Amino acid sequence: MKKTLIATYLLLLGSSTLFAAVPAADVANAINSKVAASGNKGAIEENIRVNFQISESMYREETDEIEYPGETLHYDRAEVGPYKADLACKAYALDSNWLILAGTCMRYSKDPVVANGREYKHRTGREVISSFAPEGFYAIPASNFETNGNVMLLWTDKKENAAKLGKLPKVNVLAVSSPAKLFALSADNIFKINTARFGSDAIRERTLKSKSINGNKFQLDESLTDLSGTATDPLFLFTPTGREFLVGYNNGELAYALQIDFNDIIHTYDGRKSKDYYSLSLNDLNFIKKVVQKHRPADWKRIKQRLFYNQTAKPYFK
């Protein structure tokens, strides 16, 4: 027994001496590599529908100083509203207290709207007027979101939500300097979409369409019978080892009906399909960093291990 204890002591002593001889930066890099290599299999399957309500107004630019019923005149336009609208968007767990969504979730609809017999082509003054309601979770306050147009973040301080999110596989986020980087990565990895087309929740493998890059936009090879992506649908990259990376979103418009009459309350919203997807950029990674450090800085140590740039080997932030 004494020999065993002595051997154990010597082993521990040798280990501590070994680690003492290794520079702190190398130890940190080893830990980062281990975290980066950990799997998140099934992340694409664990999408969460988030319901909420907004209000916004509409306006027309040519006023001719004539005020019609329901309008408020401004110096350069005539405004009407605000009106309510119901929305729902697809979210994924970024951490035990964080959800990530497509920035298209909060883009204004481009559809002109007719109210009181007049057409209004512009939207303004959007506000979130309800809590965010992720299905299967407790509500998240309306103030707990930020968006930069490409991605949207929700955070929750409720321990019950954190416990449930903690059990889900977390998405890795892969940003690129250009979609061309994704095309280069397609040689060794595969791509999949999770589409809500026709009310489905379908995961389909796709290839990137050659010569389709336009800025940060690109397209997928799809036949007439394939399920296309719609607004807020994500695109994931899968590595041979099973790691899953969120790399972009469908650029489709989230159309919705402002509740001007009863018919609008029935028809609510619709995610429209688009041939185009957009990639995420370094600006998006920095946006995530800024928001996390602003609202829940203690979470950054975990979240930064899930943020990658131009490659999938190691996280971008040290």
Side-chain angles (χ1 to χ4, degrees), residues 119-143:
E119 183 178 79
Y120 298 85
K121 296 182 179 180
H122 309 283
R123 314 285 185 105
T124 188
R126 172 179 284 193
E127 293 184 8
V128 178
I129 59 173
S130 74
S131 298
F132 293 96
E135 291 188 344
F137 293 82
Y138 286 98
I140 296 174
S143 58

Short mmCIF file of all heavy atoms in Angstrom, two decimals, residues 119-143:
data_model
loop_
_atom_site.label_atom_id
_atom_site.label_comp_id
_atom_site.label_asym_id
_atom_site.label_seq_id
_atom_site.Cartn_x
_atom_site.Cartn_y
_atom_site.Cartn_z
N GLU A 119 -51.95 53.60 -50.56
CA GLU A 119 -50.80 52.69 -50.53
C GLU A 119 -49.59 53.36 -49.87
O GLU A 119 -49.26 54.51 -50.18
CB GLU A 119 -50.42 52.26 -51.95
CG GLU A 119 -49.28 51.26 -51.99
CD GLU A 119 -48.93 50.81 -53.39
OE1 GLU A 119 -48.24 51.57 -54.11
OE2 GLU A 119 -49.34 49.70 -53.77
N TYR A 120 -48.96 52.59 -48.98
CA TYR A 120 -47.76 53.06 -48.29
C TYR A 120 -46.62 52.09 -48.61
O TYR A 120 -46.73 50.90 -48.38
CB TYR A 120 -48.01 53.14 -46.79
CG TYR A 120 -49.10 54.11 -46.42
CD1 TYR A 120 -50.45 53.71 -46.44
CD2 TYR A 120 -48.81 55.42 -46.09
CE1 TYR A 120 -51.46 54.60 -46.12
CE2 TYR A 120 -49.82 56.33 -45.77
CZ TYR A 120 -51.14 55.91 -45.79
OH TYR A 120 -52.14 56.80 -45.49
N LYS A 121 -45.52 52.64 -49.13
CA LYS A 121 -44.42 51.80 -49.60
C LYS A 121 -43.27 51.67 -48.61
O LYS A 121 -42.35 50.89 -48.83
CB LYS A 121 -43.88 52.35 -50.93
CG LYS A 121 -44.90 52.33 -52.06
CD LYS A 121 -44.27 52.86 -53.35
CE LYS A 121 -45.27 52.81 -54.49
NZ LYS A 121 -44.68 53.32 -55.77
N HIS A 122 -43.32 52.42 -47.53
CA HIS A 122 -42.18 52.45 -46.63
C HIS A 122 -42.60 52.10 -45.20
O HIS A 122 -43.72 52.42 -44.78
CB HIS A 122 -41.51 53.83 -46.65
CG HIS A 122 -41.19 54.31 -48.03
ND1 HIS A 122 -40.11 53.85 -48.76
CD2 HIS A 122 -41.82 55.21 -48.82
CE1 HIS A 122 -40.08 54.45 -49.93
NE2 HIS A 122 -41.12 55.28 -50.01
N ARG A 123 -41.66 51.48 -44.45
CA ARG A 123 -41.92 51.11 -43.05
C ARG A 123 -40.97 51.87 -42.14
O ARG A 123 -39.85 52.23 -42.53
CB ARG A 123 -41.67 49.61 -42.84
CG ARG A 123 -42.27 48.68 -43.89
CD ARG A 123 -43.77 48.52 -43.75
NE ARG A 123 -44.28 47.53 -44.68
CZ ARG A 123 -44.65 46.30 -44.33
NH1 ARG A 123 -44.55 45.89 -43.09
NH2 ARG A 123 -45.13 45.47 -45.25
N THR A 124 -41.39 52.09 -40.90
CA THR A 124 -40.55 52.80 -39.94
C THR A 124 -41.01 52.50 -38.51
O THR A 124 -42.11 51.97 -38.29
CB THR A 124 -40.58 54.32 -40.19
OG1 THR A 124 -39.60 54.96 -39.37
CG2 THR A 124 -41.95 54.91 -39.88
N GLY A 125 -40.14 52.83 -37.55
CA GLY A 125 -40.53 52.80 -36.14
C GLY A 125 -40.81 51.43 -35.57
O GLY A 125 -41.65 51.30 -34.67
N ARG A 126 -40.09 50.42 -36.04
CA ARG A 126 -40.37 49.07 -35.52
C ARG A 126 -39.99 48.96 -34.04
O ARG A 126 -38.94 49.42 -33.61
CB ARG A 126 -39.62 48.01 -36.30
CG ARG A 126 -39.73 46.62 -35.66
CD ARG A 126 -39.02 45.55 -36.42
NE ARG A 126 -39.78 45.17 -37.61
CZ ARG A 126 -39.51 44.08 -38.33
NH1 ARG A 126 -38.50 43.30 -38.00
NH2 ARG A 126 -40.22 43.78 -39.38
N GLU A 127 -40.87 48.32 -33.28
CA GLU A 127 -40.60 48.01 -31.88
C GLU A 127 -41.07 46.59 -31.59
O GLU A 127 -42.08 46.13 -32.14
CB GLU A 127 -41.34 48.98 -30.95
CG GLU A 127 -40.85 50.41 -31.01
CD GLU A 127 -41.55 51.30 -30.00
OE1 GLU A 127 -42.29 50.77 -29.16
OE2 GLU A 127 -41.34 52.53 -30.06
N VAL A 128 -40.32 45.90 -30.75
CA VAL A 128 -40.77 44.60 -30.25
C VAL A 128 -41.67 44.88 -29.06
O VAL A 128 -41.24 45.49 -28.08
CB VAL A 128 -39.57 43.72 -29.83
CG1 VAL A 128 -40.07 42.38 -29.27
CG2 VAL A 128 -38.65 43.48 -31.01
N ILE A 129 -42.93 44.46 -29.14
CA ILE A 129 -43.91 44.83 -28.11
C ILE A 129 -44.37 43.64 -27.27
O ILE A 129 -45.29 43.77 -26.47
CB ILE A 129 -45.13 45.51 -28.75
CG1 ILE A 129 -45.80 44.59 -29.78
CG2 ILE A 129 -44.73 46.84 -29.39
CD1 ILE A 129 -47.11 45.14 -30.34
N SER A 130 -43.73 42.49 -27.45
CA SER A 130 -44.04 41.33 -26.62
C SER A 130 -42.73 40.70 -26.18
O SER A 130 -41.65 41.05 -26.66
CB SER A 130 -44.86 40.31 -27.41
OG SER A 130 -44.03 39.64 -28.35
N SER A 131 -42.83 39.76 -25.27
CA SER A 131 -41.67 38.95 -24.95
C SER A 131 -41.37 38.03 -26.12
O SER A 131 -42.25 37.74 -26.94
CB SER A 131 -41.95 38.11 -23.70
OG SER A 131 -42.18 38.93 -22.58
N PHE A 132 -40.13 37.59 -26.24
CA PHE A 132 -39.79 36.53 -27.18
C PHE A 132 -40.18 35.21 -26.54
O PHE A 132 -39.85 34.95 -25.37
CB PHE A 132 -38.29 36.54 -27.50
CG PHE A 132 -37.84 37.75 -28.25
CD1 PHE A 132 -37.29 38.83 -27.59
CD2 PHE A 132 -37.97 37.81 -29.63
CE1 PHE A 132 -36.88 39.96 -28.28
CE2 PHE A 132 -37.56 38.93 -30.34
CZ PHE A 132 -37.01 40.01 -29.66
N ALA A 133 -40.88 34.37 -27.30
CA ALA A 133 -41.41 33.12 -26.75
C ALA A 133 -40.84 31.93 -27.49
O ALA A 133 -41.46 31.42 -28.44
CB ALA A 133 -42.94 33.12 -26.81
N PRO A 134 -39.65 31.44 -27.11
CA PRO A 134 -39.12 30.22 -27.72
C PRO A 134 -39.99 29.03 -27.31
O PRO A 134 -40.28 28.86 -26.12
CB PRO A 134 -37.71 30.10 -27.13
CG PRO A 134 -37.43 31.43 -26.50
CD PRO A 134 -38.75 31.99 -26.10
N GLU A 135 -40.42 28.24 -28.28
CA GLU A 135 -41.31 27.12 -27.96
C GLU A 135 -40.60 26.13 -27.05
O GLU A 135 -39.50 25.67 -27.32
CB GLU A 135 -41.77 26.44 -29.25
CG GLU A 135 -42.71 27.32 -30.06
CD GLU A 135 -43.34 26.58 -31.23
OE1 GLU A 135 -42.84 25.51 -31.61
OE2 GLU A 135 -44.35 27.08 -31.78
N GLY A 136 -41.27 25.79 -25.93
CA GLY A 136 -40.70 24.86 -24.96
C GLY A 136 -39.86 25.52 -23.89
O GLY A 136 -39.29 24.83 -23.04
N PHE A 137 -39.78 26.87 -23.93
CA PHE A 137 -38.97 27.59 -22.95
C PHE A 137 -39.79 28.72 -22.32
O PHE A 137 -40.83 29.11 -22.85
CB PHE A 137 -37.74 28.19 -23.63
CG PHE A 137 -36.75 27.19 -24.14
CD1 PHE A 137 -36.94 26.56 -25.36
CD2 PHE A 137 -35.63 26.85 -23.39
CE1 PHE A 137 -36.03 25.62 -25.84
CE2 PHE A 137 -34.72 25.91 -23.86
CZ PHE A 137 -34.91 25.30 -25.08
N TYR A 138 -39.28 29.25 -21.23
CA TYR A 138 -39.89 30.43 -20.64
C TYR A 138 -39.58 31.64 -21.51
O TYR A 138 -38.58 31.69 -22.23
CB TYR A 138 -39.36 30.66 -19.22
CG TYR A 138 -39.89 29.69 -18.19
CD1 TYR A 138 -39.14 28.58 -17.81
CD2 TYR A 138 -41.14 29.89 -17.61
CE1 TYR A 138 -39.63 27.68 -16.86
CE2 TYR A 138 -41.63 28.99 -16.66
CZ TYR A 138 -40.87 27.90 -16.30
OH TYR A 138 -41.36 27.00 -15.37
N ALA A 139 -40.47 32.65 -21.42
CA ALA A 139 -40.34 33.84 -22.25
C ALA A 139 -39.06 34.60 -21.94
O ALA A 139 -38.54 34.58 -20.82
CB ALA A 139 -41.55 34.74 -22.06
N ILE A 140 -38.54 35.29 -22.97
CA ILE A 140 -37.36 36.13 -22.86
C ILE A 140 -37.82 37.58 -23.02
O ILE A 140 -38.56 37.90 -23.97
CB ILE A 140 -36.33 35.76 -23.94
CG1 ILE A 140 -35.83 34.32 -23.71
CG2 ILE A 140 -35.16 36.74 -23.94
CD1 ILE A 140 -34.92 33.82 -24.81
N PRO A 141 -37.41 38.50 -22.15
CA PRO A 141 -37.87 39.89 -22.24
C PRO A 141 -37.59 40.52 -23.61
O PRO A 141 -36.58 40.20 -24.26
CB PRO A 141 -37.07 40.60 -21.14
CG PRO A 141 -36.75 39.52 -20.15
CD PRO A 141 -36.54 38.27 -20.98
N ALA A 142 -38.46 41.41 -24.01
CA ALA A 142 -38.33 42.07 -25.32
C ALA A 142 -37.03 42.85 -25.46
O ALA A 142 -36.53 43.04 -26.57
CB ALA A 142 -39.52 42.99 -25.55
N SER A 143 -36.48 43.28 -24.35
CA SER A 143 -35.25 44.07 -24.39
C SER A 143 -34.00 43.21 -24.57
O SER A 143 -32.91 43.74 -24.84
CB SER A 143 -35.10 44.89 -23.11
OG SER A 143 -35.10 44.03 -21.97
#
